Amino acid sequence: MPEYRIKNNIRLLRFQSGEMTQQELADRTNVTRQTIHAIEAAKYSPSLELAFRIAHVFEKSIDEVFQYTPD
Amino acid sequence: MSKQEIYAWTSLGFTVAIFGYYLISAFGLPTGIENYSEHITNLIWKVIGITVLIELILELSNSAKIGGVQQDERDILITSKGLRNAYYFLMVSIITLVVHILINDYFSQATGERLFLAKPYVIFHVLVFILFIANITKSATQIFYYQWGSYNA
């Protein structure tokens, strides 16, 4: 069975949102900049609530931001 | 580096320095490096001073609400992993020590002698070691997850 991993388009979406910085996204989702960096680098899998908050900032559905795909 | 990661580093530095100071005070320096005792003691005090200063700055910035969010879900998760590992270490060590003391009772009844680790002053030192190492385990675990990620933490 393949190992699944949560991937995301946050970096792409940030740049499509007027080159939003990690700090801006962090402030809007009430987390630290380091957490946004860790999520982007797939070093941290966010909680469902944080995933929704991030998707909400970009006005996207959660599956447009996060994908659960084989590694 | 997030504030919580800096706290983990300062906690590790402070604990190792105090542990080193305790070891030197209790047992003295190992043979061969007695001549450097002043240098080593100065180094320990410098580490303690720097870590206290850094923590003081962080606390001041926290109270002044500088630097955005102080702690988020990732910090809480990583802290809980650190506490879990420290707790495991603490429990295994304490249970091992208690079993050792119980075995010593049977041993002393049979031979009239005590095992080395069952002597009261040794038990005290072992307990202090366990507490220091548990704290080091907590900080080291936190640093590990901050540095190498907590995807499957």
Side-chain angles (χ1 to χ4, degrees):
Chain A
M1 188 179 166
E3 195 175 319
Y4 280 72
R5 205 171 175 85
I6 297 173
K7 293 178 179 170
N8 65 79
N9 302 320
I10 294 175
R11 179 168 289 198
L12 177 69
L13 291 166
R14 278 197 301 112
F15 283 100
Q16 286 174 351
S17 304
E19 301 200 357
M20 183 191 289
T21 62
Q22 288 182 339
Q23 186 62 60
E24 281 177 280
L25 180 58
D27 292 341
R28 291 177 69 175
T29 52
N30 206 28
V31 294
T32 61
R33 188 194 63 76
Q34 287 77 16
T35 295
I36 297 296
H37 172 75
I39 294 168
E40 277 190 12
K43 283 185 171 181
Y44 173 63
S45 175
S47 68
L48 191 57
E49 190 184 346
L50 178 55
F52 271 113
R53 287 209 300 266
I54 292 168
H56 200 253
V57 168
F58 296 119
E59 295 176 346
K60 302 275 184 192
S61 62
I62 202 160
D63 60 334
E64 287 177 283
V65 182
F66 295 96
Q67 296 82 40
Y68 190 54
T69 54
D71 203 8
Chain B
M1 201 182 280
S2 71
K3 283 184 180 175
Q4 298 304 317
E5 188 176 355
I6 298 170
Y7 273 126
W9 278 107
T10 54
S11 174
L12 182 65
F14 187 80
T15 309
V16 169
I18 295 287
F19 190 32
Y21 191 77
Y22 170 79
L23 286 174
I24 291 169
S25 304
F27 305 106
L29 286 167
T31 50
I33 59 167
E34 294 99 336
N35 298 335
Y36 302 102
S37 67
E38 197 177 327
H39 180 73
I40 291 168
T41 311
N42 282 342
L43 182 70
I44 287 171
W45 282 112
K46 273 182 194 167
V47 171
I48 291 169
I50 290 166
T51 53
V52 168
L53 188 69
I54 292 169
E55 291 225 4
L56 199 66
I57 292 166
L58 285 175
E59 287 300 326
L60 286 172
S61 73
N62 283 352
S63 59
K65 307 278 183 201
I66 298 168
V69 177
Q70 313 299 330
Q71 190 180 41
D72 62 17
E73 60 173 46
R74 179 168 160 261
D75 296 315
I76 293 166
L77 176 77
I78 289 174
T79 304
S80 69
K81 298 294 171 192
L83 287 170
R84 183 197 63 182
N85 286 357
Y87 177 77
Y88 285 162
F89 174 79
L90 202 62
M91 283 302 103
V92 168
S93 304
I94 297 291
I95 289 167
T96 306
L97 191 63
V98 168
V99 169
H100 188 87
I101 291 167
L102 291 174
I103 289 170
N104 173 69
D105 284 346
Y106 292 109
F107 182 78
S108 60
Q109 280 173 6
T111 64
E113 286 183 23
R114 281 179 156 186
L115 293 173
F116 178 70
L117 274 178
K119 291 172 181 166
Y121 77 96
V122 179
I123 291 172
F124 173 77
H125 285 307
V126 170
L127 282 173
V128 173
F129 280 16
I130 289 169
L131 290 177
F132 274 119
I133 295 169
N135 203 32
I136 289 168
T137 303
K138 174 183 168 280
S139 305
T141 304
Q142 285 178 279
I143 290 166
F144 173 82
Y145 283 121
Y146 277 120
Q147 292 291 315
W148 285 282
S150 51
Y151 187 85
N152 292 317

